[in-house]
Amino acid sequence: MGRCRVVSEQWIHVSDWLPTLGFAAGITDGISQGSPIDGQNQWDTLLSESAGGRTVVMNNADEKFSYSSYMKNGWKYVNGSTFNGVFDGWLGLLSENDDLSTEEYYSWLTAPGTIGESIGLSRDRVETLRSSATLACPTDLQETLCKPLEKPCLFNLLKDPCEQQNLASAHPDILTELQTDVLHYRRRSARPRNQPHDGRSDPALYNFTWTWWLDENNTVSILEQAQKKEPFYTALDLKAV
C-alpha cells in the first residue's frame, strides 16, 4: 500500500472489513457495491485520502427497546436510550490515570514481535500520529443537553465530535431527514432471531466448554465424557480440557 502510517478521518464501519479484505485478496463475487451484505468495499478509501469513504453509518436500530443511532454526512441522530439514560450525558475527558504516557505508549507499540517494531516506527512519528488521532473537544460550544428518552437529539460531528451540543431544535429539517432514513432502515431490516434461553446449552453440562448442544450425537458423546470427567476435544478448543 502506498498510503500508510497516516491517520484517516474517513468513515469505515466494522462490517466493511469483510468486503474490503476480500477484495484485497482477489475475491469479488458477492461483495461489489450494492450487494446484499451489510459492508461496503473500502479498499479505495484505504489507498487514497481523496476517496470519499462512507457518508452513512447505521449504528443501531434496536427493535426491543426502540432506540436508534444513525450518522449521515457528518450529522448524528440519537433516539431512545438504555439503562434509563444514566450514560446519556457528556462523560468527560479521560483522567490522567487512564492515559498512557508517551514513553509507555511507544514502548508498548514497538515491543519485540509487534507490527510497530516490524515497520520501524520512530518515536517522533508515533508522537505525530498519536497527536493527530487524539480527539479534541471544542471549548467554545454552548452545551445543550440531549435527553433521548424524551425526544430525539441531533449532533454535528464535524464541529462537535464530543456530542455536547444538541442541535435538534435548530435544524428540524435535518432531524426529519435522518428520522425518515432510520424509519426506512427499520422497515427493511430483518426481524431479530433471538431464541429463548435453552438450559441444555449450559457449558457446565459439557465440562465447562462451549459446544454445539443441538447436535444430538455430539451432545450424547460429550455428556458421557463429562460425566466420566474424561478429557475430550471440540472444534472450539483443540486442547484437552
Side-chain angles (χ1 to χ4, degrees):
M1 292 178 61
R3 185 189 183 210
C4 59
R5 305 181 190 180
V6 298
V7 175
S8 173
E9 295 185 359
Q10 297 145 300
W11 285 2
I12 297 179
H13 190 260
V14 63
S15 64
D16 296 337
W17 285 116
L18 173 62
T20 300
L21 297 178
F23 179 85
I27 303 171
T28 57
D29 292 342
I31 60 174
S32 59
Q33 196 74 17
S35 64
I37 66 174
D38 292 331
Q40 300 175 6
N41 177 15
Q42 299 285 359
W43 187 247
D44 288 341
T45 303
L46 297 179
L47 294 180
S48 172
E49 186 176 0
S50 62
R54 274 182 175 267
T55 58
V56 169
V57 175
M58 168 55 77
N59 296 314
N60 202 344
D62 190 272
E63 292 292 332
K64 183 176 181 180
F65 299 103
S66 298
Y67 60 78
S68 52
S69 172
Y70 174 66
M71 301 189 300
K72 180 179 181 180
N73 296 329
W75 293 90
K76 183 177 181 180
Y77 166 88
V78 179
N79 185 39
S81 186
T82 58
F83 300 102
N84 293 320
V86 173
F87 302 107
D88 287 346
W90 167 237
L91 300 180
L93 299 173
L94 288 175
S95 68
E96 294 182 359
N97 295 330
D98 294 327
D99 197 13
L100 292 174
S101 67
T102 301
E103 185 61 38
E104 290 173 328
Y105 186 79
Y106 181 71
S107 298
W108 169 79
L109 188 65
T110 58
T114 63
I115 295 178
E117 181 198 34
S118 66
I119 62 178
L121 284 173
S122 68
R123 182 189 177 97
D124 289 342
R125 187 58 177 164
V126 169
E127 287 188 26
T128 299
L129 291 173
R130 193 181 186 198
S131 176
S132 299
T134 300
L135 183 65
C137 300
T139 58
D140 57 345
L141 290 178
Q142 181 179 357
E143 184 174 351
T144 308
L145 291 179
C146 168
K147 298 181 179 180
L149 285 174
E150 298 179 7
K151 55 184 178 180
C153 304
L154 182 70
F155 300 100
N156 184 337
L157 297 180
L158 301 181
K159 297 181 179 180
D160 178 23
C162 298
E163 302 176 22
Q164 300 178 85
Q165 188 177 54
N166 177 18
L167 298 175
S169 59
H171 297 279
D173 52 338
I174 298 177
L175 180 70
T176 300
E177 178 184 346
L178 270 61
Q179 280 181 312
T180 302
D181 288 353
V182 170
L183 180 60
H184 175 68
Y185 275 104
R186 286 189 179 279
R187 288 173 174 170
R188 295 176 58 217
S189 64
R191 304 296 299 177
R193 294 184 294 177
N194 302 54
Q195 299 296 321
H197 174 69
D198 187 342
R200 294 174 297 172
S201 67
D202 188 348
L205 298 175
Y206 314 108
N207 205 11
F208 299 97
T209 301
W210 289 104
T211 186
W212 294 271
W213 71 95
L214 294 182
D215 184 331
E216 183 176 352
N217 294 330
N218 186 45
T219 299
V220 172
S221 174
I222 292 179
L223 273 174
E224 291 175 349
Q225 291 176 340
Q227 291 169 353
K228 296 178 181 178
K229 299 187 181 300
E230 295 178 354
F232 59 91
Y233 298 86
T234 72
L236 293 179
D237 186 357
L238 298 180
K239 297 180 180 179
V241 294

